[in-house]
Amino acid sequence: MKNTIITNVRIFDGTGSDPFPGDVLIEGRRIKRIWAAGQPRDIVEAHRIDGRGRFLMPGMTDAHTHFSWNDQPSLAAIQFMPPEEHILWCVGVAKRYLDMGFTSALGAAAAKPRLDVVLRNAIDAGNFPGPRYLAGSQEITTLGGLGDNTLPHMPFRELNFGEVVSGPEDVRRAARMFIKYGVDHLKINLSGEYIAGIPAEASPFSEEEIAMLAAEARRAGKRVAAHARSSVSVKQCVRHGFELVFHASFADDEALDMLEANKDKHFVAPGLGWLVSTLYHAEQWGITQQAATDMGYARELEVASDTLQKMHKRGIRILPGGDYGFAWMPHGTNAKDLEYLMRYVGMSAKEALLSATRLGGEIMMLPEDIGQIRPGFLADLILVDGDPLTDITLLQDPEKIAMVWKDGNVVKDRLRVTEPILV
Ligand SMILES: [Zn+2]
């Protein structure tokens, strides 16, 4: 028998309602029924888990992560990790997301062509525990763009960080290669990145190249994700229909108008974790606050905060996901992005939770299946010790994530419910 009833919990259902006390019945993979406290409950045959007043919420989605980023202090350390070790690394990281209550994640790009795809397939086949995962391509970049880390005379140029292209036909070849491998979406680096020595405001791709990627993605029915810090690159995303807009720090009013006019199509994952951590928490790894400021990150965080507040007021969908996977911001600390959405974007705690849950269901293309606690939805759930609506940082503490379910199965259990009671 696979039925489970979780009793005596405060239910944050992800619909926008305030949490209410009640019980939730899981039947197989899905949520069968929800009873508010005081509502007469019919007798059901199920294992009972007494929530003891804890906070039950939908599993969270990280909208911008790279499982193949390996918690090291440099891009080179990611780039030159041998493929055999690299896929094992990804397998280990996937489990960490589940443990922290992230039952879904969107791969923003893989460090080698097939890492994301192979990992996603292994998780979907049930071979290894991990969140629902949408697999990205490598970063498609221009010669000299972000992710082109080699020079022609270097013996290791076959192991470049990104897939380097030049010209529309080359874009077509790269797109078709990743589509052949089975990615869920293509990733393109439409702007620069200070730490790589290329200004965030730079927009190095030509219109012809971008249009080619859009055409190839459309034909294959794939979405496109873009590293888009510059204002020009955000406008390119809207004009060419690239659904997943990462960063968007320097979007000007025209770019915001364009996003707002298409807000049902686009998602913005600003990646605040990267900006905040690189500016304030990377000193131990040689990046002092002064060094990060000199690169441009202090200014970018200030401008991005302003831009994102405007974006939020316009009702554009903004999601957590901050490029976790560097030494100063390892995988598993992803819930910091919810705190940053409050601090830098002006979200309420409830809005931050909704962006990690309901909007997560939308960006994962499963809006009727995950991200909410409603009858018929998949049972991806987290039981939290304490109230994240009064202290959002609780979600950063592994001890407070008491239980996690994915697909109706318990994937983390700190309560050690070894002998569930039959009711
Ligand atoms: Zn990224």
Side-chain angles (χ1 to χ4, degrees), residues 118-134:
V118 169
L119 181 72
R120 177 204 62 199
N121 293 348
I123 294 171
D124 287 350
N127 297 333
F128 300 104
R132 301 174 196 285
Y133 194 62
L134 292 180

Side-chain angles (χ1 to χ4, degrees), residues 40-97:
R41 204 181 75 200
D42 25 320
I43 307 289
V44 292
E45 200 171 281
H47 291 302
R48 179 163 70 89
I49 294 168
D50 185 353
R52 298 191 182 185
R54 290 185 181 86
F55 191 90
L56 187 75
M57 60 178 277
M60 296 186 284
T61 295
D62 186 301
H64 178 172
T65 184
H66 307 265
F67 281 8
S68 50
W69 282 199
N70 58 8
D71 288 356
Q72 295 292 310
S74 73
L75 292 176
I78 302 169
Q79 182 175 347
F80 298 118
M81 190 174 211
E84 298 85 351
E85 279 85 353
H86 219 153
I87 190 66
L88 287 176
W89 166 266
C90 295
V91 167
V93 159
K95 174 77 165 64
R96 275 201 238 170
Y97 279 73

Side-chain angles (χ1 to χ4, degrees), residues 4-7 9 26 47-52 54-60 95 97-103 373 379-386 394-395 397-406 408-420:
T4 302
I5 187 164
I6 312 166
T7 58
V9 281
I26 301 170
H47 291 302
R48 179 163 70 89
I49 294 168
D50 185 353
R52 298 191 182 185
R54 290 185 181 86
F55 191 90
L56 187 75
M57 60 178 277
M60 296 186 284
K95 174 77 165 64
Y97 279 73
L98 282 185
D99 286 343
M100 292 306 295
F102 285 89
T103 49
I373 301 179
D380 287 10
L381 303 167
I382 326 173
L383 190 63
V384 186
D385 261 327
L394 290 177
L395 296 170
D397 182 352
E399 312 255 307
K400 304 288 188 205
I401 311 288
M403 287 188 78
V404 181
W405 290 258
K406 181 193 161 197
N409 293 313
V410 174
V411 290
K412 177 183 183 181
D413 180 10
R414 281 186 50 78
L415 305 180
R416 294 200 188 79
V417 187
T418 47
E419 285 181 69

